[in-house]
Amino acid sequence: KIKNIEIIDLTCPRVLLIHDLAKKLCKEGYFIILIAQKDHPEAIGTLGFCGKDYLAIDDISKVADAIDIIKSCGKNKVLIISQTTFAEDKFKEISKAFNCRLKGYNVEIINTICPSTHTRQNETKVIASSVDMMIIIGDTNSSNSYKLYEIAKANCDNSYLIQDLDDLLNNNIDYSSVLKVGVMAGASTPIDLINEVVNYLKKENI
């Protein structure tokens, strides 16, 4: 029975562009490397457009094995793309390693990280470098939120990833030596959760 249901595709346009890119270059004979968390929903969706010759990797330590697989498949064209929310520093590190070790191959590196993700990561690095404590607000299962936490932690050892104010309070944080706190939030964190945490910190003069 046909039902009168309107279907609206709310997939991020930037993700759709990656799908189209993978689909097009797959047909042109490229081996596709997706730099991503392979079990992330976005990565799973993208891999569905990569044909049969592809790999998803998330760490430079996996490059050597990936190159062996590429060489064994007989293709001399490689496309390197990224999950939109992947850490840009890691993307550059991994893609550079591939490019250096695939001499004689046609290697196309396309940075498909979302510009807002890039901006948010850079701002987190700058802020975390100048504060005594860094708080990242976001879902602990969110890729972009966790990447922000990793960047914050690398630049400010006193960093926390929280989901809401209750989560912050449950950490029993000692603020006695904290003079300045930085706050950053994941892309999908609701504004009311952000305001709740910020207002608490201001109210407590933290």
Side-chain angles (χ1 to χ4, degrees):
K1 182 179 179 180
I2 298 176
K3 298 182 178 179
N4 186 26
I5 299 175
E6 180 183 10
I7 298 176
I8 302 174
D9 188 349
L10 296 178
T11 305
C12 173
R14 294 191 178 277
V15 174
L16 291 176
L17 285 174
I18 298 174
H19 292 175
D20 290 342
L21 182 64
K23 193 178 189 179
K24 178 178 181 292
L25 270 70
C26 168
K27 288 181 179 178
E28 293 178 9
Y30 280 78
F31 189 105
I32 299 176
I33 296 291
L34 175 64
I35 300 179
Q37 294 174 284
K38 66 180 181 179
D39 57 348
H40 188 278
E42 181 192 325
I44 293 169
T46 298
L47 292 174
F49 294 88
C50 293
K52 291 187 277 188
D53 295 316
Y54 66 83
L55 284 172
I57 74 167
D58 60 3
D59 192 81
I60 196 169
S61 64
K62 300 174 183 177
V63 169
D65 288 342
I67 288 176
D68 288 340
I69 294 171
I70 292 169
K71 290 182 175 179
S72 68
C73 82
K75 292 188 174 181
N76 66 351
K77 296 189 290 186
V78 178
L79 170 67
I80 301 176
I81 52 179
S82 174
Q83 179 181 324
T84 58
T85 57
F86 202 76
E88 186 155 21
D89 287 349
K90 288 189 72 175
F91 170 76
K92 289 179 178 178
E93 178 188 38
I94 295 169
S95 58
K96 182 179 179 181
F98 273 112
N99 199 33
C100 290
R101 299 181 64 174
L102 286 172
K103 299 300 182 184
Y105 284 73
N106 178 8
V107 181
E108 291 282 344
I109 301 173
I110 302 177
N111 186 342
T112 52
I113 294 173
C114 177
S116 64
T117 297
H118 166 79
T119 300
R120 206 177 292 263
Q121 290 177 358
N122 281 346
E123 289 178 347
T124 298
K125 184 175 182 179
V126 171
I127 295 171
S129 300
S130 63
V131 297
D132 305 303
M133 178 182 293
M134 193 71 186
I135 295 172
I136 307 298
I137 310 170
D139 192 321
T140 53
N141 294 317
S142 163
S143 173
N144 79 86
S145 294
Y146 194 77
K147 292 297 185 301
L148 294 179
Y149 169 70
E150 287 183 322
I151 292 169
K153 191 71 173 174
N155 292 277
C156 176
D157 191 56
N158 196 20
S159 295
Y160 299 87
L161 173 60
I162 64 167
Q163 297 193 97
D164 52 29
L165 180 57
D166 287 341
D167 209 4
L168 177 66
L169 297 176
N170 289 335
N171 270 281
N172 295 317
I173 299 170
D174 179 9
Y175 298 99
S176 59
S177 60
V178 176
L179 298 177
K180 187 185 290 186
V181 180
V183 178
M184 183 60 73
S188 58
T189 305
I191 188 65
D192 59 327
L193 290 183
I194 300 171
N195 288 337
E196 188 176 28
V197 171
V198 171
N199 290 334
Y200 167 79
L201 293 172
K202 288 180 176 179
K203 182 181 177 181
E204 297 299 317
N205 293 316
I206 297 169

